[in-house]
Amino acid sequence: MVSDREAVANAVDDLVDEAGGWRHVQVGEHRFGGTEFRVGPREIGHVHAWGMVDIAYLRKLRDVLVDAGHTGPHHLLPESGWTTYYVESPDDYDHARWLLRLSYLYHVNALKRTPAGAEEFADVDVAADLDELDPDGAVRDAFERR
């Protein structure tokens, strides 16, 4: 029988494997432990084996996500654009993936607005991928900076 701790660790491993397979994502060790995900020069988030997932957003998007209960303020930097979400069971995997994917798309979209990024990230269809995530209107508006 798999313990709760093992089940969470397995869900975290699955999240690392999946996010690590997204286009242009580099996976490495995070300076405070855990596994970090980067797109170009930007860290989109990191995850710890015990299930804590810290994810970076634009502050406005972060505020909408926290206000809607999708995630919580960052455990150490509650006034920043960072959030903290806890994977407490395998059932939390899909939502953790959704949050991390939203950050990935936000950062890719921002990088695509630069001359070098427009070419480098041309193979990521942010609009189609965002549609697939199907965020509610407030999240979509904050993502699109409306």
Side-chain angles (χ1 to χ4, degrees), residues 3 13 22 44 49 67 72-73 77 79 84 88-89 108 118 124 128 146:
S3 71
D13 287 345
W22 297 338
I44 62 171
D67 289 347
L77 305 167
E79 300 303 317
T84 298
E88 297 174 335
S89 79
V108 167
V124 179
R146 288 190 259 167

Side-chain angles (χ1 to χ4, degrees), residues 19-33:
W22 297 338
R23 289 185 191 112
H24 309 287
V25 170
Q26 298 91 41
V27 177
E29 288 185 33
H30 185 65
R31 66 186 179 277
F32 299 122

Side-chain angles (χ1 to χ4, degrees), residues 6 10 16 29 37 53 57 59 61 68 70 103 111 116 122 134:
E6 289 173 305
N10 290 339
V16 169
E29 288 185 33
F37 308 102
V53 186
Y57 301 99
R59 178 64 194 264
L61 180 54
H70 287 293
S103 176
L111 290 165
D134 194 28

Side-chain angles (χ1 to χ4, degrees), residues 92-112:
D92 297 327
Y93 171 84
D94 287 336
H95 195 67
R97 180 204 175 277
W98 186 88
L99 290 166
L100 194 59
R101 185 72 177 179
L102 186 66
S103 176
Y104 163 80
L105 293 173
Y106 169 76
H107 289 286
V108 167
N109 200 42
L111 290 165
K112 285 179 86 159

Side-chain angles (χ1 to χ4, degrees), residues 3-134:
S3 71
D4 289 345
R5 180 179 281 173
E6 289 173 305
V8 167
N10 290 339
V12 167
D13 287 345
D14 290 345
L15 187 60
V16 169
D17 289 344
E18 181 159 349
W22 297 338
R23 289 185 191 112
H24 309 287
V25 170
Q26 298 91 41
V27 177
E29 288 185 33
H30 185 65
R31 66 186 179 277
F32 299 122
T35 303
E36 177 177 291
F37 308 102
R38 297 186 79 78
V39 174
R42 294 171 173 236
E43 181 184 348
I44 62 171
H46 57 272
V47 61
H48 300 276
W50 61 87
M52 186 170 69
V53 186
D54 294 323
I55 305 172
Y57 301 99
L58 170 74
R59 178 64 194 264
K60 181 178 177 181
L61 180 54
R62 170 258 187 222
D63 289 347
V64 169
L65 291 166
V66 169
D67 289 347
H70 287 293
T71 188
H74 189 268
H75 63 107
L76 294 175
L77 305 167
E79 300 303 317
S80 73
W82 282 86
T83 66
T84 298
Y85 180 77
Y86 294 94
V87 175
E88 297 174 335
S89 79
D91 293 339
D92 297 327
Y93 171 84
D94 287 336
H95 195 67
R97 180 204 175 277
W98 186 88
L99 290 166
L100 194 59
R101 185 72 177 179
L102 186 66
S103 176
Y104 163 80
L105 293 173
Y106 169 76
H107 289 286
V108 167
N109 200 42
L111 290 165
K112 285 179 86 159
R113 293 185 178 125
T114 67
E119 184 177 330
E120 182 178 355
F121 300 103
D123 61 341
V124 179
D125 187 342
V126 172
D129 287 355
L130 185 62
D131 285 346
E132 192 174 302
L133 288 182
D134 194 28

